[in-house]
Amino acid sequence: MADFENIIKGLVECDEDQVMRLVKKSLDQGVSAQDILSHGLIAGMDIVGDKMENGDMFIPEVLRSAQIMSQAVEELKPLLSEDSNRAKGKVLIGTVQGDLHDIGKNLVSMMLESAGMEVHNLGVDISPDRFVEEIKDKKPNILCLSALLTTTMPMMKSTIEAIKKNGLRDNLSIMVGGAPVTQAFADEIGADGWAPDAGSATKLAKSLIN
Ligand code: B1M
């Protein structure tokens, strides 16, 4: 039986040994990597977020939980990467300027890669100008923008505007995502698509490439 409760507890208490031990144990017991990710790690980070909002956890602790989550995701990576329906295409992905959140963006990047796409992960805090330069250089089919803060969502719009201004919009599909981002916002800023999670992002990317 998967011990999601104690994976969550370990993440909230920044107990690396507990999280890693229980993730490995769950895998050995045949629990799917996707279930460990959704019901253990992502559920745990949601609680970390609530505690952060209530002032029960502070930035250094949240960072530590995030590091442990990334380490656990590395453990799951080979098992999340089984995609028989592989797609070709080049993707550029980054978190927009002013935003340092990267766990979800890295999950999206990993799933796209495992679906067969060539993925260039630019990292966090990427300015519109840098996106423009990278699009000129890498000539991707798809650009994925991630934002986790309501205050950085407008930077998605600025990025799309910079891309248009540089005449790079026509042959590029733009997808947006991140917890506060919605389909309505994607429509409003002229993106081609929105995905709520890494799995849907992969499906959407495949359909945009086809
Ligand atoms: Co931040 N933070 N944070 N934080 N943080 C949130 C986002 C927050 C909701 C917490 C809260 O208050 N409840 C809140 C935002 C409130 C808001 O704007 N509405 C918040 C805040 C306020 C802040 C600071 C401002 C705090 C401060 O300094 N006072 C600060 C800002 C720093 C900055 O960015 N400039 C800050 C800092 C940090 C840390 C650095 C400490 C750390 C990030 C470490 C890191 O990423 N390496 C951190 C963390 C860890 C969080 C929470 C707790 C967890 C985020 C996470 O990794 N979730 C978060 C609360 C929460 O989300 N519950 C919170 C797990 C991850 C798998 O999910 O990222 O949503 P997510 O990704 C999903 C989907 O969103 C989607 O797919 C992913 C996988 O399924 N997706 C995409 C994501 N990107 C996509 C791109 C796509 C498609 C789908 O492209 C097409």
Side-chain angles (χ1 to χ4, degrees), residues 74-102:
E74 278 302 309
E75 189 71 30
L76 301 178
K77 198 169 168 178
L79 298 151
L80 290 167
S81 316
E82 289 155 4
D83 193 325
S84 49
N85 180 16
R86 293 173 76 78
K88 284 203 160 45
K90 201 188 280 185
V91 180
L92 206 60
I93 183 166
T95 302
V96 297
Q97 188 166 25
D99 200 319
L100 303 176
H101 296 84
D102 69 355

Short mmCIF file of all heavy atoms in Angstrom, two decimals, residues 74-102:
data_model
loop_
_atom_site.label_atom_id
_atom_site.label_comp_id
_atom_site.label_asym_id
_atom_site.label_seq_id
_atom_site.Cartn_x
_atom_site.Cartn_y
_atom_site.Cartn_z
N GLU A 74 13.35 13.25 -9.88
CA GLU A 74 14.46 12.60 -10.61
C GLU A 74 14.36 11.08 -10.50
O GLU A 74 14.62 10.36 -11.45
CB GLU A 74 15.82 13.06 -10.03
CG GLU A 74 16.29 14.40 -10.56
CD GLU A 74 16.44 14.44 -12.08
OE1 GLU A 74 17.09 13.54 -12.63
OE2 GLU A 74 15.89 15.36 -12.71
N GLU A 75 14.00 10.61 -9.31
CA GLU A 75 13.85 9.17 -9.07
C GLU A 75 12.73 8.58 -9.95
O GLU A 75 12.82 7.46 -10.42
CB GLU A 75 13.53 8.98 -7.57
CG GLU A 75 13.55 7.58 -7.07
CD GLU A 75 14.96 6.98 -6.98
OE1 GLU A 75 15.91 7.74 -6.75
OE2 GLU A 75 15.06 5.75 -7.16
N LEU A 76 11.67 9.40 -10.13
CA LEU A 76 10.51 8.90 -10.89
C LEU A 76 10.69 9.06 -12.39
O LEU A 76 9.99 8.43 -13.18
CB LEU A 76 9.25 9.68 -10.47
CG LEU A 76 8.84 9.63 -9.00
CD1 LEU A 76 7.60 10.49 -8.78
CD2 LEU A 76 8.54 8.19 -8.58
N LYS A 77 11.62 9.95 -12.76
CA LYS A 77 11.76 10.36 -14.16
C LYS A 77 11.75 9.21 -15.18
O LYS A 77 10.96 9.23 -16.11
CB LYS A 77 13.06 11.19 -14.30
CG LYS A 77 13.14 12.02 -15.54
CD LYS A 77 14.33 12.96 -15.40
CE LYS A 77 14.65 13.63 -16.71
NZ LYS A 77 15.76 14.56 -16.59
N PRO A 78 12.60 8.18 -15.00
CA PRO A 78 12.61 7.13 -16.02
C PRO A 78 11.25 6.46 -16.16
O PRO A 78 10.91 5.96 -17.23
CB PRO A 78 13.63 6.11 -15.48
CG PRO A 78 14.35 6.77 -14.38
CD PRO A 78 13.51 7.90 -13.88
N LEU A 79 10.46 6.47 -15.09
CA LEU A 79 9.17 5.76 -15.13
C LEU A 79 8.04 6.65 -15.64
O LEU A 79 7.00 6.18 -16.07
CB LEU A 79 8.83 5.25 -13.73
CG LEU A 79 9.86 4.25 -13.25
CD1 LEU A 79 10.00 4.27 -11.76
CD2 LEU A 79 9.50 2.87 -13.74
N LEU A 80 8.26 7.97 -15.57
CA LEU A 80 7.24 8.88 -16.10
C LEU A 80 7.44 9.03 -17.60
O LEU A 80 6.60 9.58 -18.29
CB LEU A 80 7.36 10.26 -15.44
CG LEU A 80 6.97 10.35 -13.97
CD1 LEU A 80 7.43 11.67 -13.39
CD2 LEU A 80 5.47 10.20 -13.81
N SER A 81 8.59 8.55 -18.07
CA SER A 81 8.98 8.84 -19.44
C SER A 81 8.59 7.78 -20.45
O SER A 81 9.14 7.73 -21.52
CB SER A 81 10.51 9.00 -19.52
OG SER A 81 10.97 9.77 -18.47
N GLU A 82 7.67 6.89 -20.06
CA GLU A 82 7.30 5.85 -21.03
C GLU A 82 6.15 6.33 -21.89
O GLU A 82 5.02 6.38 -21.46
CB GLU A 82 6.91 4.58 -20.28
CG GLU A 82 8.10 3.92 -19.64
CD GLU A 82 7.73 3.07 -18.45
OE1 GLU A 82 6.52 2.92 -18.18
OE2 GLU A 82 8.65 2.58 -17.78
N ASP A 83 6.45 6.76 -23.09
CA ASP A 83 5.42 7.24 -24.00
C ASP A 83 5.62 6.54 -25.34
O ASP A 83 6.59 6.79 -26.05
CB ASP A 83 5.54 8.76 -24.16
CG ASP A 83 4.32 9.35 -24.83
OD1 ASP A 83 3.77 8.66 -25.72
OD2 ASP A 83 3.92 10.46 -24.49
N SER A 84 4.69 5.65 -25.66
CA SER A 84 4.86 4.85 -26.88
C SER A 84 4.51 5.67 -28.13
O SER A 84 5.03 5.43 -29.20
CB SER A 84 3.96 3.62 -26.80
OG SER A 84 2.67 4.03 -26.44
N ASN A 85 3.65 6.68 -27.94
CA ASN A 85 3.18 7.47 -29.08
C ASN A 85 4.07 8.70 -29.24
O ASN A 85 3.70 9.80 -28.86
CB ASN A 85 1.71 7.82 -28.80
CG ASN A 85 1.10 8.63 -29.90
OD1 ASN A 85 1.64 8.68 -31.01
ND2 ASN A 85 -0.02 9.25 -29.61
N ARG A 86 5.29 8.50 -29.76
CA ARG A 86 6.28 9.58 -29.77
C ARG A 86 6.01 10.58 -30.90
O ARG A 86 5.51 10.23 -31.95
CB ARG A 86 7.69 9.00 -29.88
CG ARG A 86 8.05 8.23 -28.61
CD ARG A 86 9.34 7.51 -28.75
NE ARG A 86 10.50 8.39 -28.66
CZ ARG A 86 10.98 8.87 -27.53
NH1 ARG A 86 10.40 8.60 -26.40
NH2 ARG A 86 12.04 9.64 -27.53
N ALA A 87 6.36 11.85 -30.62
CA ALA A 87 6.10 12.91 -31.61
C ALA A 87 7.39 13.66 -31.88
O ALA A 87 8.26 13.76 -31.02
CB ALA A 87 5.07 13.87 -31.03
N LYS A 88 7.50 14.19 -33.10
CA LYS A 88 8.69 14.98 -33.42
C LYS A 88 8.34 16.46 -33.26
O LYS A 88 7.20 16.85 -33.34
CB LYS A 88 9.09 14.71 -34.87
CG LYS A 88 9.78 13.37 -35.06
CD LYS A 88 10.64 13.39 -36.32
CE LYS A 88 11.70 12.32 -36.32
NZ LYS A 88 11.27 11.01 -35.90
N GLY A 89 9.35 17.28 -33.04
CA GLY A 89 9.09 18.71 -32.93
C GLY A 89 10.07 19.33 -31.97
O GLY A 89 10.66 18.64 -31.12
N LYS A 90 10.28 20.65 -32.14
CA LYS A 90 11.24 21.33 -31.27
C LYS A 90 10.48 22.29 -30.35
O LYS A 90 9.64 23.06 -30.82
CB LYS A 90 12.22 22.10 -32.16
CG LYS A 90 13.51 22.42 -31.44
CD LYS A 90 14.39 23.35 -32.24
CE LYS A 90 15.17 22.66 -33.33
NZ LYS A 90 16.10 23.60 -34.02
N VAL A 91 10.78 22.21 -29.07
CA VAL A 91 10.07 23.03 -28.08
C VAL A 91 11.06 23.86 -27.27
O VAL A 91 12.11 23.37 -26.86
CB VAL A 91 9.28 22.12 -27.08
CG1 VAL A 91 8.54 22.97 -26.06
CG2 VAL A 91 8.32 21.21 -27.82
N LEU A 92 10.67 25.11 -27.07
CA LEU A 92 11.43 26.00 -26.19
C LEU A 92 10.54 26.24 -24.97
O LEU A 92 9.36 26.52 -25.13
CB LEU A 92 11.63 27.30 -26.95
CG LEU A 92 12.81 28.20 -26.63
CD1 LEU A 92 14.11 27.45 -26.87
CD2 LEU A 92 12.77 29.43 -27.55
N ILE A 93 11.09 26.10 -23.78
CA ILE A 93 10.26 26.29 -22.58
C ILE A 93 11.01 27.12 -21.55
O ILE A 93 12.23 26.99 -21.41
CB ILE A 93 9.82 24.92 -21.98
CG1 ILE A 93 8.88 25.10 -20.78
CG2 ILE A 93 11.00 24.04 -21.60
CD1 ILE A 93 8.15 23.83 -20.37
N GLY A 94 10.28 27.98 -20.84
CA GLY A 94 10.91 28.78 -19.80
C GLY A 94 9.87 29.40 -18.90
O GLY A 94 8.69 29.52 -19.25
N THR A 95 10.31 29.77 -17.70
CA THR A 95 9.46 30.52 -16.78
C THR A 95 9.69 32.00 -17.05
O THR A 95 10.83 32.43 -17.22
CB THR A 95 9.83 30.18 -15.31
OG1 THR A 95 9.71 28.77 -15.12
CG2 THR A 95 8.93 30.89 -14.32
N VAL A 96 8.62 32.77 -17.09
CA VAL A 96 8.71 34.17 -17.52
C VAL A 96 9.47 35.05 -16.51
O VAL A 96 9.66 34.67 -15.36
CB VAL A 96 7.30 34.78 -17.79
CG1 VAL A 96 6.61 34.06 -18.94
CG2 VAL A 96 6.46 34.77 -16.52
N GLN A 97 9.82 36.22 -16.99
CA GLN A 97 10.62 37.16 -16.20
C GLN A 97 9.96 37.47 -14.85
O GLN A 97 8.75 37.69 -14.77
CB GLN A 97 10.81 38.46 -16.99
CG GLN A 97 11.78 39.40 -16.33
CD GLN A 97 12.20 40.51 -17.27
OE1 GLN A 97 11.50 40.87 -18.21
NE2 GLN A 97 13.35 41.09 -17.00
N GLY A 98 10.78 37.50 -13.81
CA GLY A 98 10.28 37.85 -12.47
C GLY A 98 9.82 36.64 -11.68
O GLY A 98 9.51 36.76 -10.49
N ASP A 99 9.78 35.48 -12.33
CA ASP A 99 9.23 34.29 -11.68
C ASP A 99 10.31 33.21 -11.56
O ASP A 99 10.97 32.89 -12.55
CB ASP A 99 8.07 33.77 -12.53
CG ASP A 99 7.13 32.87 -11.74
OD1 ASP A 99 7.62 32.04 -10.95
OD2 ASP A 99 5.90 32.99 -11.92
N LEU A 100 10.48 32.69 -10.33
CA LEU A 100 11.56 31.73 -10.07
C LEU A 100 11.07 30.29 -9.89
O LEU A 100 11.84 29.40 -9.57
CB LEU A 100 12.32 32.17 -8.81
CG LEU A 100 12.92 33.57 -8.85
CD1 LEU A 100 13.56 33.92 -7.51
CD2 LEU A 100 13.95 33.70 -9.97
N HIS A 101 9.77 30.07 -10.06
CA HIS A 101 9.23 28.72 -9.86
C HIS A 101 9.57 27.83 -11.06
O HIS A 101 9.31 28.22 -12.19
CB HIS A 101 7.71 28.79 -9.68
CG HIS A 101 7.30 29.54 -8.46
ND1 HIS A 101 7.18 30.91 -8.44
CD2 HIS A 101 7.00 29.12 -7.20
CE1 HIS A 101 6.82 31.29 -7.23
NE2 HIS A 101 6.69 30.23 -6.45
N ASP A 102 10.12 26.65 -10.76
CA ASP A 102 10.50 25.82 -11.92
C ASP A 102 10.14 24.35 -11.83
O ASP A 102 10.39 23.60 -12.77
CB ASP A 102 12.00 25.96 -12.21
CG ASP A 102 12.89 25.33 -11.15
OD1 ASP A 102 12.38 24.86 -10.12
OD2 ASP A 102 14.11 25.31 -11.37
#
